[in-house]
Amino acid sequence: MRDHGSRIDELAYDRRRLRQYLVGEARADGVERRTLLKLLAAAGGAAAVGVGAAAPATAAGPGIVKPLPPELFTVRGTNAESKAASWQGTGLHTPVDRFFVRNHTSTPLLDPGSWRLKVWGSGLRHGRESEFGLDELRRLPAVTTEALVECAGNGRSHFTTQQGEAVSGTAWGLGAIGSGRWRGVRLADVLRKAGLSRNAVDVQPRGLDAEYLTADGANLGRVRRPLPVAKALHDVLLAYELNGEPLPPDHGYPVRVLVPSWVGIASVKWVGDIEVSDIPLYSPWNTDFYRLYGAAYPPEGSAPLSRQTVKSAFELAAGAEFTVGRTHTLTGRSWSGAGGIASVEVSTDGGSSWRRARIQDPARRDNWVRWSVRWRPESTGDTQVLARATDTRGNTQPDRTVHNTQGYLFNAVVRHPVRVVG
Ligand SMILES: Nc1nc2c(c(=O)[nH]1)N[C@H]1C(S)=C(S)[C@@H](COP(=O)(O)O)O[C@H]1N2
Ligand SMILES: [Mo]
């Protein structure tokens, strides 16, 4: 941890002030936008030091409703990571019993009868405001979308284990991802019914889970993040079913936003209201968080994160054992936010030689493919297996991901340790 010396008090104060500004409890009249962005950039760096220091609230364990058996999940603070080994043989979509959970606080139990979605804001015609009950949403045309939900921090721990770099945030392996068949209504249909105006620029869904407190006690308010109206109208769903069942409580019951191909934070769970704005909106989730900060990035950070990167995972436990001289089948999955997966190469000798894996599924946008490769290890000992995917846009996983302080978008090839035994 860096030593902030005598700056520490002003630093903490300044972060609080910025956060108050961000939740609308402070004003910045007359401040130039450029200045504000610089301040926000500084707060992002500070948050990267502070947020990792302790998990927020619920020291008593995760506030997750579904069972989290150790063969399916690794519990990380308020979150549960899916074990990639448990995906083996489960089909294209992730069964709910092993779908990862990322909760800023804990899963709220909402009553579907009294639940309402309020749509409001300056981006509606005549400043109108509408409410929709669950039955009303269900009467609108239903659509089904197959899509991944993947945390922006998926793979984050490998910045440290593989690149020796410090990052803040939940130390996920590659299991902060799940693939679902989501059914619901188009957000576009709901926005149009609510009287979307031509002047709307941002659409900001907000969750009904508790307000989020950072490790140092700043209240950031309820989870919310603006979406550009173009994306909101393009392919975003208000989903009420996952894999043919009502949404489970942990995944947003009764209704969540589902934003295909974007970082998971965009897919706001337990949505209670949607602000439609004719001016750009900021929240901590598109300023302090979910931008890239660090030596390789400008002081104000990157643009807010949107599309996911390309990744691969073996359906294997770390340190899995294989018998020497026998033929084994290694299986895994690859995916990309930019398109389908075109090819996957696997190395079973620590990265010296590569061969093509057999891909089982057609390349699909917003979803992953399953693949397999045969392996007959010839000597005992510890080694590493590696998988490297290329998507239909030509993006390939690099050997190294450029560092960012909050450890987002780790897309490098992961060196998966295995042991060959006699
Ligand atoms: N209301 C609300 N929505 C939320 C979150 C949250 O804590 N509260 N977490 C976000 C993050 S960071 C991710 S990665 C996804 C995780 O979705 P899942 O728990 O259904 O897998 O939900 C997003 N939506
Ligand atoms: Mo996330």
Side-chain angles (χ1 to χ4, degrees):
M1 185 92 105
R2 271 185 291 156
D3 176 16
H4 294 288
S6 60
R7 279 169 55 230
I8 197 150
D9 288 337
E10 176 58 15
L11 189 71
Y13 174 68
D14 197 43
R15 286 180 56 202
R16 194 170 346 119
R17 184 170 53 205
L18 277 161
R19 291 209 158 102
Q20 283 171 320
Y21 173 80
L22 287 167
V23 298
E25 290 166 0
R27 306 187 59 156
D29 293 346
V31 179
E32 270 190 28
R33 217 175 103 72
R34 271 181 52 214
T35 312
L36 195 67
L37 284 175
K38 246 191 242 141
L39 292 177
L40 292 171
V49 174
V51 171
T58 52
I64 293 174
V65 171
K66 68 184 176 185
L68 303 173
E71 63 281 12
L72 300 183
F73 290 104
T74 306
V75 174
R76 303 193 187 280
T78 56
N79 317 293
E81 175 170 355
S82 183
K83 288 200 164 157
S86 81
W87 304 341
Q88 219 180 89
T90 56
L92 195 64
H93 300 122
T94 312
V96 164
D97 70 352
R98 60 205 72 191
F99 204 108
F100 89 106
V101 181
R102 164 46 174 142
N103 280 353
H104 281 71
T105 59
S106 56
T107 297
L109 294 174
L110 303 176
D111 167 28
S114 56
W115 177 86
R116 293 280 179 282
L117 174 66
K118 184 171 140 190
V119 184
W120 60 281
S122 59
L124 297 182
R125 286 198 303 276
H126 321 301
R128 261 165 57 183
E129 182 182 308
S130 310
E131 280 201 0
F132 300 82
L134 192 53
D135 290 342
E136 276 170 278
L137 286 189
R138 285 183 164 279
R139 280 196 294 270
L140 294 175
V143 293
T144 299
T145 296
E146 307 204 348
L148 302 165
V149 170
E150 181 185 14
C151 189
N154 194 25
R156 175 183 284 130
S157 65
H158 301 295
F159 275 105
T160 309
T161 58
Q162 206 162 279
Q163 304 190 170
E165 293 164 335
V167 289
S168 62
T170 304
W172 302 111
L174 285 168
I177 183 166
S179 170
R181 198 153 40 80
W182 308 90
R183 188 158 179 271
V185 297
R186 287 189 192 86
L187 177 55
D189 290 348
V190 171
L191 293 178
R192 292 204 176 98
K193 259 186 114 64
L196 183 69
S197 121
R198 293 172 50 186
N199 301 327
V201 293
D202 271 346
V203 173
Q204 178 164 263
R206 180 163 53 174
L208 289 167
D209 41 338
E211 296 180 330
Y212 177 62
L213 306 179
T214 64
D216 49 358
N219 184 347
L220 304 193
R222 295 184 193 268
V223 171
R224 64 202 182 284
R225 186 177 198 251
L227 274 173
V229 73
K231 178 67 175 176
L233 294 177
H234 177 54
D235 61 354
V236 177
L237 230 58
L238 291 171
Y240 45 70
E241 278 180 19
L242 169 56
N243 297 345
E245 302 285 340
L247 273 188
D250 297 310
H251 299 290
Y253 184 81
V255 177
R256 85 176 299 168
V257 180
L258 189 267
V259 183
S261 80
W262 281 31
V263 289
I265 186 62
S267 294
V268 170
K269 304 191 276 188
W270 315 292
V271 59
D273 72 284
I274 300 178
E275 177 178 0
V276 184
S277 172
D278 66 358
I279 58 166
L281 299 175
Y282 290 101
S283 89
W285 289 271
N286 71 339
T287 52
D288 279 354
F289 306 129
Y290 303 102
R291 291 180 190 239
L292 306 177
Y293 295 101
Y297 296 97
E300 70 276 16
S302 71
L305 301 184
S306 55
R307 281 185 187 282
Q308 266 290 2
T309 50
V310 54
K311 294 191 192 68
S312 303
F314 285 92
E315 296 171 336
L316 276 183
E321 294 191 349
F322 295 87
T323 306
V324 71
R326 295 253 183 88
T327 301
H328 305 272
T329 302
L330 300 175
T331 63
R333 303 189 183 220
S334 298
W335 60 95
S336 165
I341 292 298
S343 67
V344 179
E345 300 158 284
V346 168
S347 170
T348 48
D349 56 9
S352 305
S353 65
W354 296 82
R355 61 187 182 280
R356 275 205 154 189
R358 192 181 68 82
I359 296 182
Q360 189 176 332
D361 301 299
R364 268 178 277 231
R365 261 188 45 220
D366 310 328
N367 216 329
W368 51 18
V369 295
R370 291 166 288 175
W371 46 258
S372 62
V373 76
R374 300 272 203 172
W375 181 35
R376 189 169 185 276
E378 270 149 26
S379 55
T380 59
D382 289 341
T383 182
Q384 293 165 331
V385 294
L386 293 75
R388 178 170 65 200
T390 301
D391 69 23
T392 49
R393 294 293 188 85
N395 302 302
T396 299
Q397 293 183 253
D399 292 337
R400 215 184 150 83
T401 301
V402 174
H403 176 256
N404 68 88
T405 55
Q406 294 175 97
Y408 295 129
L409 303 186
F410 186 88
N411 64 337
V413 175
V414 169
R415 310 178 71 87
H416 188 111
V418 294
R419 171 164 292 179
V420 180
V421 296

